[in-house]
Amino acid sequence: MSHVTEAPFATARQGDAGIDARRAAATPRGVAIGFPFYAERARNAELWDVEGRRYIDFGSGIAVLNTGHGHPRVMEAVRAQLERFTHTAYQVVPYESAVALAERLNRITPGSHPKKTAFFTTGAEAVENAIKIARCATRRPGVIALSGAFHGRTFMGMALTGKVAPYKSGFGPFPGSIYHVPAPVALHGVSVDDSLGAIDRLFKADIDAEQVAAIILEPVQGEGGFYVQPPQFMRAVREICERHGILMIADEIQTGFGRTGSLFAMDHYGVVPDLMTVAKSLAGGLPLSGVVGRAEIMDAPAPGGLGGTYAANPLAVAAAHAVLDVIEDEQLAPRAERLGQRLRARLEALRAKVPQIADVRGLGAMVAVEFAGKDGKPDPEFTKRVQQRARDAGLLLLTCGVYANVIRFLFPLTIEDAVLEEGLDILAQAMQA
């Protein structure tokens, strides 16, 4: 018996509008759609919809495609694994490729101490398990996160996330013993001293420091607005953790794998976390995440306490090995720094023509531009107009920020120079229109 070669939904070809009507009828409104057109194929930093329109992709599936759409080496690795097996459940019948990937991550993540890695499927799942591990290792309940943070859409992820709309609205109550302090964002009047003072007040008013299991933070806030944590703050948090026996968790889900000009954003700080969550660009578009941490901490949960049916999926593991090879062989981290410099230079040059530009910031190619009105207040309307004008001209941009007034740039680090320049030209026109 031969396999069916054409899926039923492919027999009647429809345009974007037709598919979108079906989507609205078949899927819930809670799954928001950024762009109401439908992808048919993609290559590196370019994407084509079902009506043949071409777009330059400056979003990379929300930071998932540092190695671009369909990198040949990643595709070949997945094809080769597909011929061997697609699933055994690693917890039932393990395989060497996952062990080897754990060894690689233990070796390349910050710190020379003994480490271990546990694999999961999504970034939120990695965050959940990092908290589980921290609580198990310390026997403490409390966790501190930052305002503006995004750590996922599960209940623990939502509890840790420092942004109510749209992520937390209507979903409470959330897990307890979660506390937030303001992230240091000088642009919005919050200094490093303000943030550290808030932690101190938290210890005095709400929870004993000796009852805090972990402080979790993104080295560069993702959904929160691409705010880079000041080195002074990162060092102070590390000192607080050491003083009180608290574990420091670095959420590198969006910042990892070359995006910031280094393999991991924590490399910029000279500060080593106890636990690190990774996902997104780890497997080039296939679902794979992990928690990497100090061996003795990672070993705190008993056998069976960690895992998941699809954790360390063999196709995703094969892709991840290829992604790491590409990042190293094509020197994508140094390239990210060069690409980021070009982007920042273009944005800075536009300041004189676009008075709404309030800030240009970032590490490596993890860059953002923030917009404000004449009164200095966030301008989400202008931000949306720039995004829409760019889309109409064939450029996909993602917004972010607590006030929805930030455009974040996440183009593949493999983007061709000519395609990058074409995209930057469209961006400039959209901002000046």
Side-chain angles (χ1 to χ4, degrees):
M1 182 181 294
S2 63
H3 290 288
V4 175
T5 58
E6 186 172 347
F9 59 75
T11 57
R13 185 176 178 84
Q14 284 186 298
D16 289 321
I19 301 172
D20 202 53
R22 289 166 51 201
R23 174 194 65 81
T27 67
R29 67 186 188 124
V31 182
I33 300 299
F35 301 104
F37 57 83
Y38 290 79
E40 182 172 65
R41 62 188 177 93
R43 182 191 64 215
N44 201 9
E46 299 169 279
L47 183 151
W48 289 262
D49 74 2
V50 295
E51 296 182 0
R53 288 185 293 256
R54 168 185 173 265
Y55 297 89
I56 297 172
D57 186 0
F58 271 21
S60 295
I62 317 180
V64 167
L65 301 168
N66 286 359
T67 53
H69 290 277
H71 193 289
R73 293 175 67 177
V74 176
M75 300 291 279
E76 180 53 38
V78 173
R79 278 192 291 266
Q81 179 59 47
L82 191 62
E83 294 296 323
R84 293 193 285 271
F85 59 91
T86 62
H87 179 75
T88 64
Y90 178 81
Q91 299 149 231
V92 178
V93 179
Y95 28 92
E96 187 274 340
S97 59
V99 176
L101 184 60
E103 291 171 335
R104 290 184 79 169
L105 289 174
N106 294 340
R107 186 168 60 252
I108 65 178
T109 47
S112 57
H113 53 278
K115 291 178 238 162
K116 292 190 175 183
T117 293
F119 291 113
F120 306 99
T121 310
T122 68
E125 202 177 356
V127 168
E128 292 267 345
N129 280 278
I131 301 303
K132 284 170 56 178
I133 293 165
R135 284 177 165 173
C136 188
T138 62
R139 301 298 177 184
R140 302 174 178 186
V143 181
I144 298 172
L146 300 182
S147 62
F150 180 80
H151 296 293
R153 289 181 169 88
T154 56
F155 269 93
M156 179 57 74
M158 287 189 292
L160 295 168
T161 290
K163 183 179 179 182
V164 172
Y167 304 114
K168 304 168 83 161
S169 298
F171 294 126
F174 302 109
S177 297
I178 306 299
Y179 304 87
H180 286 90
V181 297
V185 180
L187 184 66
H188 297 295
V190 183
S191 68
V192 169
D193 287 342
D194 292 333
S195 297
L196 296 176
I199 296 175
D200 187 58
R201 288 190 295 276
L202 192 69
F203 290 159
K204 287 180 170 62
D206 292 301
I207 185 170
D208 188 335
E210 309 308 312
Q211 288 297 305
V212 176
I215 298 176
I216 184 169
L217 73 169
E218 303 156 279
V220 182
Q221 288 198 326
E223 174 61 23
F226 275 34
Y227 297 109
V228 181
Q229 302 298 343
Q232 176 190 354
F233 178 70
M234 197 70 81
R235 290 192 296 268
V237 169
R238 177 72 269 182
E239 191 277 328
I240 289 168
C241 288
E242 291 175 357
R243 190 190 329 152
H244 296 291
I246 299 169
L247 301 184
M248 183 180 191
I249 303 175
D251 183 339
E252 289 253 18
I253 289 169
Q254 191 160 165
T255 55
F257 303 103
R259 171 61 53 185
T260 66
S262 187
L263 196 54
F264 297 99
M266 291 301 292
D267 294 331
H268 294 282
Y269 293 97
V271 171
V272 177
D274 300 296
L275 298 172
M276 176 185 288
T277 59
V278 294
K280 288 194 180 285
S281 276
L282 170 59
L286 276 72
L288 184 65
S289 67
V291 179
V292 187
R294 297 183 183 276
E296 69 276 12
I297 296 171
M298 294 294 294
D299 275 339
L306 304 176
T309 300
Y310 296 104
N313 171 268
L315 298 177
V317 167
H321 278 290
V323 164
L324 293 178
D325 289 342
V326 169
I327 290 172
E328 181 178 1
D329 294 346
E330 298 186 16
Q331 292 291 289
L332 293 189
R335 178 167 172 76
E337 183 59 39
R338 295 193 297 273
L339 293 172
Q341 289 174 358
R342 289 167 63 180
L343 172 58
R344 285 191 293 271
R346 287 292 293 269
L347 292 171
E348 291 291 353
L350 286 166
R351 278 185 184 268
K353 301 176 182 178
V354 185
Q356 292 89 347
I357 294 177
D359 193 27
V360 175
R361 57 178 175 270
L363 284 178
M366 191 170 181
V367 174
V369 57
E370 180 161 352
F371 299 112
K374 293 180 180 178
D375 57 3
K377 295 181 179 179
D379 194 340
E381 291 78 16
F382 179 79
T383 308
K384 194 67 176 177
R385 287 198 300 273
V386 171
Q387 184 188 40
Q388 290 172 344
R389 291 167 186 154
R391 178 201 65 195
D392 293 343
L395 174 66
L396 304 184
L397 300 172
L398 301 183
T399 60
C400 65
V402 174
Y403 305 102
N405 67 322
V406 179
I407 288 177
R408 51 178 160 171
F409 298 94
L410 290 165
F411 43 71
L413 304 181
T414 51
I415 188 171
E416 297 92 341
D417 288 345
V419 176
L420 175 66
E421 288 303 317
E422 182 184 356
L424 294 180
D425 288 342
I426 295 172
L427 172 67
Q429 293 165 6
M431 290 172 64
Q432 296 176 81

